[in-house]
Amino acid sequence: MVEIGGMPILWHIMKIYSHFGFHDFVICLGYKGYVIKEYFANYFLHTSDVTLHLAENRMEVHRKNAEPWRVTLVDTGETTQTGGRVQRILPYVQDDPFFALTYGDGVANIDLAAQVEFHRAHGRKATVAAVRPAARFGAMRLDGDHVINFAEKPESDGGWINGGFFLVSPSVGELITSDQTVWEREPMEALVRAGELRAYYHRGFWHPMDTVRERQFLEEEWARGSAPWRVW
């Protein structure tokens, strides 16, 4: 619920998905999950002009800014690990051939339509977006004590990492044994061993919001009107 441009980062992530036709959301709630419940229960109050008729206990909504979303809020436990949270929301996605899965702390200008096409084409159980994050510090190439190249915060330090933005079959639930299962460990490792995990290479913008510094960067990008993840 940390805000960028006055809106929770969760809203920004959902707007990315909505731009590509994903309008049905299931949100895994944990610590202070009631805050997210209250936000969506009072979405008009947060986003629209309203008149409150106190004597009638009624709210009149003006200039509606509602999204075309259906939002299911599931209490998945405060101490439940990532895999356990996935397992707990499976009843809400069992009828789908696959569903999108992501974290609540990162944004990107990923082409989700292309990722879906890629996932359908390879026919495996799971797809993960592979990203190359920007380096945190300046990089130097050295020959002894002679600096032969310097780049202030180059585009990447090299390796591809898990950028979230998964597409997975509900059958991955078979790989999750308990609330304490970590999605990024046993289930993903099992998918790798079975040849059921494919990487969709996202070479565009991707940025997490794990620190105050990262939140400040995203806020500044939004304020300048140059937020790359604003694909809508």
Side-chain angles (χ1 to χ4, degrees):
M1 294 301 290
V2 175
E3 294 183 352
I4 303 171
M7 299 298 285
I9 189 171
L10 178 60
W11 177 88
H12 288 263
I13 295 168
M14 294 168 73
K15 287 286 285 186
I16 296 169
Y17 276 98
S18 185
H19 175 73
F20 290 98
F22 291 85
H23 303 310
D24 194 350
F25 296 93
V26 180
I27 300 177
C28 302
L29 303 180
Y31 177 67
K32 291 191 175 181
Y34 67 89
V35 176
I36 299 177
K37 285 185 177 180
E38 289 179 349
Y39 177 78
F40 285 106
N42 297 295
Y43 193 77
F44 278 130
L45 192 61
H46 288 284
T47 62
S48 304
D49 296 336
V50 299
T51 297
L52 301 174
H53 300 267
L54 300 184
E56 303 170 18
N57 191 26
R58 179 170 64 87
M59 182 174 73
E60 183 180 355
V61 180
H62 315 285
R63 196 175 57 82
K64 295 181 181 179
N65 290 321
E67 308 290 345
W69 300 344
R70 185 176 76 161
V71 183
T72 302
L73 304 163
V74 182
D75 286 312
T76 55
E78 288 195 11
T79 62
T80 307
Q81 293 290 345
T82 49
R85 295 187 191 281
V86 173
Q87 186 179 55
R88 289 204 186 191
I89 59 92
L90 287 176
Y92 300 95
V93 296
Q94 285 292 352
D95 295 334
D96 300 314
F98 63 88
F99 62 97
L101 175 68
T102 194
Y103 305 111
D105 60 356
V107 289
N109 62 352
I110 184 171
D111 186 340
L112 294 172
Q115 186 188 25
V116 167
E117 183 178 354
F118 172 78
H119 181 76
R120 285 175 170 156
H122 68 62
R124 303 296 180 176
K125 289 185 178 181
T127 296
V128 58
V131 301
R132 300 178 73 180
R136 183 175 177 184
F137 303 104
M140 296 189 297
R141 289 180 58 201
L142 305 173
D143 182 4
D145 61 3
H146 178 57
V147 179
I148 59 176
N149 180 269
F150 177 81
E152 176 62 13
K153 297 181 181 177
E155 183 176 343
S156 172
D157 340 65
W160 293 90
I161 68 166
N162 165 20
F165 295 96
F166 297 90
L167 295 171
V168 298
S169 163
S171 64
V172 299
E174 300 168 358
L175 307 173
I176 302 171
T177 57
S178 73
D179 279 354
Q180 297 311 306
T181 299
V182 178
W183 167 249
E184 299 80 3
R185 294 180 184 169
E186 294 92 341
M188 286 187 65
E189 290 167 1
L191 289 168
V192 170
R193 289 194 299 270
E196 292 290 340
L197 180 64
R198 293 290 185 269
Y200 173 78
Y201 290 98
H202 172 57
R203 295 177 169 83
F205 176 87
W206 175 87
H207 207 281
M209 194 179 72
D210 299 327
T211 66
V212 173
R213 178 178 179 176
E214 289 167 341
R215 186 260 174 191
Q216 182 179 354
F217 168 76
L218 295 175
E219 180 68 38
E220 290 171 352
E221 290 293 294
W222 184 267
R224 282 196 292 264
S226 58
W229 69 91
R230 188 172 183 172
V231 295
W232 60 93

